[in-house]
Amino acid sequence: MAAAGLLAGLALGRVELVAVAAPFALAAVLAPALAREPRLQVRLDLDRERALETETVNARIALSAEDAAHADVLLELPSRLSADGDNPRAIAVRAGETRTVELALRCERWGAFGLGPALVRVRDPLGFFAWEGRLGGTVPLRVYPSVEALHALLSPLETQVFVGNQVSRTKGDGIEFADVRPWAPGDRPRRVNWRATARRGDLWVNEQHPERNTDVVLFLDTFTTAELGMRGTLDQTVRAATSLAHRYLQRKDRVGLVSFGGFLSWLLPASGARQLYRIVDSLLQVDIVLSFASRDVNVLPPRSLPPKSLVLAITPLLDPRTGPALLDLRARGFDLVVVEVSPVPFVDPGERELERLAYRLWRLSREATRTRYRHAGIPVVEWIDGVPLNIPLEEVASFRRYAVPARA
Amino acid sequence: MYGGVLAYVLAHTPRAIEGTGALGGLGALVLVFALVRANAALVAWPVALLGVAYAIALVVHGSSVDDGAPFVAGGLFLCAELASWSIDERLGIPAERGVVLARAFALCGLATASLAVAALAVALAAAPAGAGLAWTIVGAASAVAVVGVAVALARKAQEAARSRLH
């Protein structure tokens, strides 16, 4: 514009046009003269690397500059995190000074995130030039799903040999009374049931149920998910798995994890707090990986599914590859329970008649699938978004109380 | 600011008010559009259109030097800068008081310097100087030099846009 003005002034012989072009020419000359490539040091820190959902984590972005600079600072956040405070923000950094931008990050949803590097843009004093960059490195943040309080857990049909908190169905040394039987050589006198002995005239002794632990395998179907906004079946699956793992491990049981989907992963059953962290860290990595490869339980290592273990399958029953795998597990004699994470709340029935018909047919086909499982002796309960997990677990418990365990 | 400069131009050229008014009006529309759409690339056009309207006014007006030219220059420059600032504010980046003050000081300083340079240019025109081929060559060389500087700056601006902080 300055050049055009000067040329026009020369061509028309008007000094006023030169005068009009002069400010623009002045700015065009001054700006590069004053502009210096900024030398910034940026460091990104979090006050902690682990947090629970709804908690707040403080992020600090420290900027130091060799020369004075005005910087726009933005910390890009995943959709599951939000910042309380201005992000981005324009700050002034004096030469040799270190300025800190503090952001309170609200952990809206669980997940494993890598925060940073921060986006920094520095302008020259006249705003003609801008330098942009990603600075400050990346820091990890793990947001764990909140744990739902479970009042009762499913008891397995069979327990393991190690001591635990689960009353075994077998008889042995324990606390819970099981039965009385005639005395036999080797029985300790303290086990004699004196009332029964007095009534029958012979020595009778008490029998107890021993307290044993159980192996629980959380079998997650990660083939596909139904989502609406930030909620979905995968989200519910992870929440349920976290709550169940937490509660079973509290009960001194061994818990394992199988993520059965496009990407296959597993954790061998173990107990203790460390196993809880392993499981939760593994759950944070769970994602839907689109794959057309067929899968069956043969691809799993045998140790990931120990004999006599209780297999809790958490599935939306959306992918046709899940059904045969579950029936296969049942056929192998595993104590299998299916918690169906209902995708129905996340599906729009549609407006048109044809869409509604398809929706009804889809729901009927789901009901047929459930019936097929029940006929195979597999308890299936539907867990709808918003309903506490206790309710479907109690449904399974009542089913198992009255149903005769089937032997495949 | 734009309206003030436009009013001055129109008042300066009653004989060509249709042409200058149309150009200035078109420029005002483009400026409004640029501000509404937050399109910084369009800001130069209304300033250029008003500059052309002023040039027409000067040609129509006659040979006497317009003493208000430095104010027209300052007004056009401030108009462009303030429009750019306004569009920057639309990005919604909250700025510290220090950042805003620094930008305001820089703008004021530049506007003052612009006014001074424009006034100097007008004042120099009043000074007695020779005419002839030599002056014409000097003027043409200056114009070519300005174009060269503009090209060099454009190249540097492109490089700066590509460069990354590290």
Side-chain angles (χ1 to χ4, degrees), chain A residues 4-222:
Chain A
L6 291 175
L7 287 172
L10 188 67
L12 297 173
R14 303 297 308 206
V15 72
E16 296 92 336
L17 295 181
V18 175
V20 167
F24 298 98
L26 179 69
V29 172
L30 274 181
L34 295 177
R36 297 272 183 281
E37 187 173 352
R39 306 216 171 270
L40 276 181
Q41 303 285 330
V42 180
R43 209 181 70 204
L44 173 64
D45 287 316
L46 297 178
D47 63 347
R48 56 197 162 130
E49 291 183 356
R50 292 186 169 92
L52 281 174
E53 271 182 330
T54 71
E55 284 186 345
T56 301
V57 176
N58 291 316
R60 284 182 302 276
I61 308 169
L63 290 95
S64 54
E66 290 179 15
D67 303 316
H70 298 152
D72 299 339
V73 184
L74 168 69
L75 181 61
E76 282 186 306
L77 297 175
S79 61
R80 295 176 171 202
L81 298 177
S82 65
D84 289 340
D86 296 328
N87 184 36
R89 190 182 299 184
I91 60 166
V93 188
R94 294 195 190 118
E97 183 194 36
T98 300
R99 290 290 310 274
T100 305
V101 175
E102 297 212 353
L103 285 173
L105 306 179
R106 275 182 57 78
C107 306
E108 308 281 359
R109 311 291 280 181
W110 57 269
F113 312 107
L115 293 181
L119 280 172
V120 181
R121 178 171 56 198
V122 181
R123 292 178 187 274
D124 73 310
L126 299 181
F128 273 53
F129 301 106
W131 291 265
E132 292 183 349
R134 291 176 176 271
L135 304 174
T138 304
V139 289
L141 173 63
R142 292 176 179 277
V143 180
Y144 295 138
S146 50
V147 175
E148 192 174 331
L150 298 176
H151 304 304
L153 288 172
L154 290 176
S155 300
L157 294 176
E158 292 179 277
T159 52
Q160 302 294 325
V161 293
F162 300 106
V163 175
N165 288 351
Q166 176 64 37
V167 178
S168 171
R169 289 169 192 267
T170 59
K171 292 168 186 171
D173 286 334
I175 297 171
E176 291 286 326
F177 175 78
D179 202 354
V180 290
R181 63 165 171 79
W183 179 86
D187 283 339
R188 285 182 287 177
R190 60 180 294 204
R191 295 181 66 179
V192 172
N193 186 327
W194 294 109
R195 282 191 183 176
T197 300
R199 197 175 299 129
R200 302 191 183 199
D202 294 324
L203 278 172
W204 284 72
V205 292
N206 288 334
E207 285 185 315
Q208 281 94 20
H209 289 300
E211 281 74 36
R212 294 285 182 258
N213 79 338
T214 59
D215 283 353
V216 180
V217 176
L218 301 169
F219 188 90
L220 312 187
D221 172 6
T222 57

Side-chain angles (χ1 to χ4, degrees), chain B residues 31-45:
Chain B
L31 181 62
V32 169
F33 181 77
L35 291 175
V36 169
R37 299 295 299 268
N39 190 338
L42 287 178
V43 168
W45 289 102

Side-chain angles (χ1 to χ4, degrees), chain B residues 22-143:
Chain B
L23 279 174
L26 180 64
L29 286 176
V30 175
L31 181 62
V32 169
F33 181 77
L35 291 175
V36 169
R37 299 295 299 268
N39 190 338
L42 287 178
V43 168
W45 289 102
V47 176
L49 284 170
L50 195 51
V52 171
Y54 183 56
I56 292 171
L58 289 174
V59 171
V60 172
H61 187 254
S63 58
S64 63
V65 173
D66 179 18
D67 293 334
F71 296 103
V72 173
L76 285 178
F77 181 75
L78 272 178
C79 177
E81 282 294 316
L82 291 174
S84 297
W85 193 343
S86 169
I87 289 170
D88 283 351
E89 289 297 310
R90 295 277 296 280
L91 294 175
I93 301 177
E96 284 182 347
R97 187 182 158 85
V99 176
V100 177
L101 282 178
R103 186 165 187 177
F105 279 132
L107 185 55
C108 286
L110 206 52
T112 309
S114 303
L115 208 61
V117 169
L120 183 66
V122 174
L124 283 176
L133 183 63
W135 283 108
T136 307
I137 290 171
V138 169
S142 304

